[in-house]
Amino acid sequence: MDVPARRGAHDGLNPSPNPSLNSQVSSNSTSSSTSVRASQDRALGEIFAEGGTLSSHISGYRLRPGQLEMARAIGQAIETQGALIAEAGTGTGKTFAYLVPALLWGGKVIVSTGTKTLQDQLFQKDLPMVRAALGAPVTVALLKGRANYLCHYHFERIKANGRMSSRQEAAQLRSIVRFAQSTRTGDKAEAMGVSESAPIWNLVTSTRENCLGAECPNYKECFVLQARREAQQADVVVVNHHLFFADLMLRDEGVADLLPVANTVIFDEAHQLPETATLFFGQTVSTAQLLDLTRDVLAEGLTHARDAVRWPEVIGPLERAARDLRLVFAQDSVRLNARQLAVDHPLFEALDVVDATLAELGKVLESQAERAESIEQCWRRAVDLRHAINDWRASRERMQQGTPPAGTEAVDEQIHWVEALGHSLRLHRSPLSVASHFTRQREGTPRAWIFTSATLAVRGDFSHFADQMGLQDVPAHDWPSPFDYERQALLYVPEGLPDPSSPAYTDAVIDAALPVLRAAGGRAFVLCTTLRALRRCAERLRELFEQHELPFPLLVQGEGSRSELLERFRALGNAVLVGSQSFWEGIDVRGEALSLVIIDKLPFAPPDDPVLAARLDALSRRGGNPFMDYQLPAAVISLKQGAGRLIRDETDRGVLMLCDPRLITKPYGKRIWRSLPAFARTRDGAQAVGFFDAAPVRMESGQSDPQEADTAGQPVT
């Protein structure tokens, strides 16, 4: 097999020191590039071919033309240190399509995923499989955020303290003690018997704020540092989007160590990047940070300066001020633009109290800072939190007056907003666009940038994603799914449902879904666009299952972790799972356990979302169409994710039930359903029910689309 030489770990990052060599390369660049590309194409053809390298080493592998085409496009982008936007439909095999050229020619590669689940799958399964098949001599490392690693310092402190809030936490601590004695990585995902989402992990892991750094007595054995050292030395590093952007922010402070030496950056599940980037290019301060500070002050004060002051009394005022700050908003869920708050709003009086208590706490901590490095760190955290809160207030006031904060170019570049969720209140400052921020990160050192996902385009149009990320000049391609959707699946849009704004809408959706659920034997996801709809769907399904004596186990988001619910769903075989946003993507249930996906409404973002509202307003002022240019494309991409849960393999069969009548009644409906795979389609409930007993029905060419069928009163099959 003719394989071009693999790029070195730092090749392409610095100009050649030899001027004559540079001249020679320049004069021969076109012919050399053509030759390398042809060599790459031949090599990839042999690797992906039937009976080729992958087929010989991976059981069940077979050639997928779209996968090979995608691999060639990525190989070209890597070779030219260019960028590529690549949409690959379900079943294309995009993971192998980017891993093969990355391992062969990518140099130092960062692969960033949307979730830790996909991150683990890449590291534990896909990468080893491809590396072994290619015989590629590359080293691989997995790197997660620091909250995923056991912290020796905080673990020993909690273990010495010994006071747990419940028997369950005491049992979990004993499990973590056993885990600490045997783990090599400290990754909490490896801890048996303690869920990754268990609150106790907050006590035995570190944050950027409470990490002692080089002053930590356990510095040399730190799991976070160990993971980062391995990542620095590896050829391929698997991270997630949150960690990638956290590293970018550290890079701006001059301490990042991943991106500067990377030749190739690959984003899988790239459709999540705009939201993640918005989070990291903005700033947030929360009551949770204030309460974390009080917890650490108490622990460190009692450990290192017990005789100095009455530490419970010292932290008491800040604890009360933080809780009172949250109680400014009585609702369970609040998201509002800070511009909506009057000058005399209770929030600002509560912030005054927080500021004063932070100042008093800071004085005490400063007086005891010499007693221990950890106390000095608590003092610095108090100072930083006070500065962050006052900076948010001052910046908001400048924006209110029409004066942008220092370093910004326009008044509408940022939005200040408030979020109250459960027991926490957060003050956010978010950029209205991350395009310029991300463009700056791509400039400078040449490297390849690959953006891939199953959902980046709306009917082949990538402009929504490209505009959000500042990638307007980047080539984009899509490779459709190889699955036979007309044979394997049916898109059912029920007739007779009320307007989605009707109070009776959710009940009507469940009533329409019941016959299909019965025919499918359960085996369904019910995906809701709001938590309110989720709760009502679950309540109504319980009533109907009991009333009709249907033996379908009902699993509801919030009644267990996502992984626990999915494990039970797969094991039961006839369950109905009701979920909201966290179940719309990143879920892979193959086979008959999932044969019906019901979506209650088109997933338009709530119009009262403060960041969305500000972005739409800015778009409108620039002469754009907020609905067609932003809201509709975003809804289509989200819908494609939800619909993508149904068919995960060429042997899967099932019904996608989209309940929103706007899919038929609104002019934009056709654009939405035509962005989905080519399902067979119907509006006839009897056909949807019959799908589970009959052979797949293939649409005849030239048949009407759903909107035309609705007008004519005829179903489409």
Side-chain angles (χ1 to χ4, degrees), residues 71 146 243 257 366 428 470 625 628 631:
R146 65 169 60 250
L243 180 59
D257 50 19
E366 184 179 14
H428 297 282
N625 184 321
M628 297 301 293
Q631 290 173 282

Side-chain angles (χ1 to χ4, degrees), residues 17 29 142 198 217-218 223 241 314 323 363 399 450 503 572 601 702:
S29 59
L142 177 70
N218 305 103
F223 289 124
H241 298 340
V314 168
R323 299 189 194 284
K363 291 177 182 177
M399 298 290 279
I450 312 298
L572 287 165
K601 292 182 184 180

Side-chain angles (χ1 to χ4, degrees), residues 419-600:
E419 180 181 34
L421 292 172
H423 301 291
S424 178
L425 183 135
R426 301 169 184 170
L427 307 176
H428 297 282
R429 185 167 67 188
S430 302
L432 290 189
S433 172
V434 299
S436 60
H437 296 272
F438 194 74
T439 297
R440 285 196 294 271
Q441 300 299 336
R442 289 201 302 128
E443 292 172 345
T445 302
R447 58 174 58 89
W449 298 83
I450 312 298
F451 306 84
T452 184
S453 170
T455 55
L456 292 174
V458 179
R459 292 199 67 200
D461 181 1
F462 291 85
S463 59
H464 178 67
F465 174 75
D467 289 347
Q468 286 182 292
M469 297 300 294
L471 304 174
Q472 294 89 340
D473 59 336
V474 172
H477 301 282
D478 65 305
W479 290 272
S481 169
F483 298 154
D484 188 349
Y485 282 90
E486 290 188 58
R487 179 184 62 81
Q488 293 179 246
L490 180 69
L491 170 59
Y492 168 43
V493 182
E495 296 185 287
L497 291 180
D499 187 89
S501 62
S502 167
Y505 181 76
T506 300
D507 282 6
V509 165
I510 296 302
D511 290 342
L514 187 63
V516 192
L517 280 166
R518 192 196 299 263
R523 305 186 298 156
F525 277 2
V526 180
L527 300 180
C528 303
T529 52
T530 66
L531 292 176
R532 177 182 298 178
L534 180 150
R535 289 190 289 268
R536 180 55 188 161
C537 281
E539 182 181 357
R540 183 77 176 131
L541 285 170
R542 282 197 178 95
E543 294 172 357
L544 292 174
F545 287 177
E546 182 176 352
Q547 176 184 338
H548 296 278
E549 298 182 343
L550 297 176
F552 307 145
L554 187 64
L555 308 177
V556 182
Q557 178 180 325
E559 296 180 359
S561 69
R562 188 172 84 154
S563 58
E564 291 168 345
L565 291 175
L566 284 174
E567 187 176 342
R568 290 182 60 197
F569 183 87
R570 293 187 181 101
L572 287 165
N574 68 335
V576 176
L577 189 152
V578 185
S580 187
Q581 189 61 44
S582 63
F583 285 90
W584 281 67
E585 59 180 278
I587 304 294
D588 190 10
V589 179
R590 304 189 182 200
E592 295 185 353
L594 179 58
S595 298
L596 172 63
V597 171
I598 301 168
I599 296 178
D600 70 334

Side-chain angles (χ1 to χ4, degrees), residues 493-494 497-500 505 658-666 683:
V493 182
L497 291 180
D499 187 89
Y505 181 76
L658 292 182
C659 299
D660 197 321
R662 292 174 293 183
L663 199 67
I664 303 299
T665 61
K666 296 296 184 182
R683 301 209 69 202

Side-chain angles (χ1 to χ4, degrees), residues 330-446:
Q331 305 96 314
D332 287 339
S333 179
V334 175
R335 290 165 63 93
L336 56 85
N337 191 326
R339 286 191 174 188
Q340 299 172 239
L341 303 177
V343 176
D344 59 350
H345 191 280
L347 173 69
F348 300 111
E349 183 179 350
L351 287 175
D352 287 337
V353 176
V354 169
D355 179 65
T357 55
L358 271 173
E360 289 302 314
L361 177 62
K363 291 177 182 177
V364 175
L365 291 170
E366 184 179 14
S367 70
Q368 302 299 317
E370 293 184 356
R371 301 286 290 268
E373 175 67 28
S374 55
I375 294 180
E376 181 180 353
Q377 185 200 55
C378 287
W379 167 50
R380 296 186 185 282
R381 287 168 60 189
V383 171
D384 290 344
L385 282 169
R386 189 181 180 202
H387 174 77
I389 291 172
N390 290 326
D391 184 55
W392 183 86
R393 293 184 66 173
S395 177
R396 169 192 168 274
E397 290 169 2
R398 288 194 297 269
M399 298 290 279
Q400 289 269 69
Q401 298 164 3
T403 305
T408 64
E409 299 174 2
V411 173
D412 63 356
E413 279 198 346
Q414 296 186 13
I415 175 174
H416 296 71
W417 55 290
V418 181
E419 180 181 34
L421 292 172
H423 301 291
S424 178
L425 183 135
R426 301 169 184 170
L427 307 176
H428 297 282
R429 185 167 67 188
S430 302
L432 290 189
S433 172
V434 299
S436 60
H437 296 272
F438 194 74
T439 297
R440 285 196 294 271
Q441 300 299 336
R442 289 201 302 128
E443 292 172 345
T445 302

Side-chain angles (χ1 to χ4, degrees), residues 30 67 70 236 301 309 328 333 414 468 514 534 551 635 648 660 709:
T30 301
Q67 185 182 54
M70 181 177 173
V236 180
V309 294
V328 165
S333 179
Q414 296 186 13
Q468 286 182 292
L514 187 63
L534 180 150
R648 308 298 298 176
D660 197 321

Side-chain angles (χ1 to χ4, degrees), residues 20 39 219 269 449 471 681:
S20 62
S39 179
Y219 182 74
E269 302 297 321
W449 298 83
L471 304 174
R681 303 183 294 271

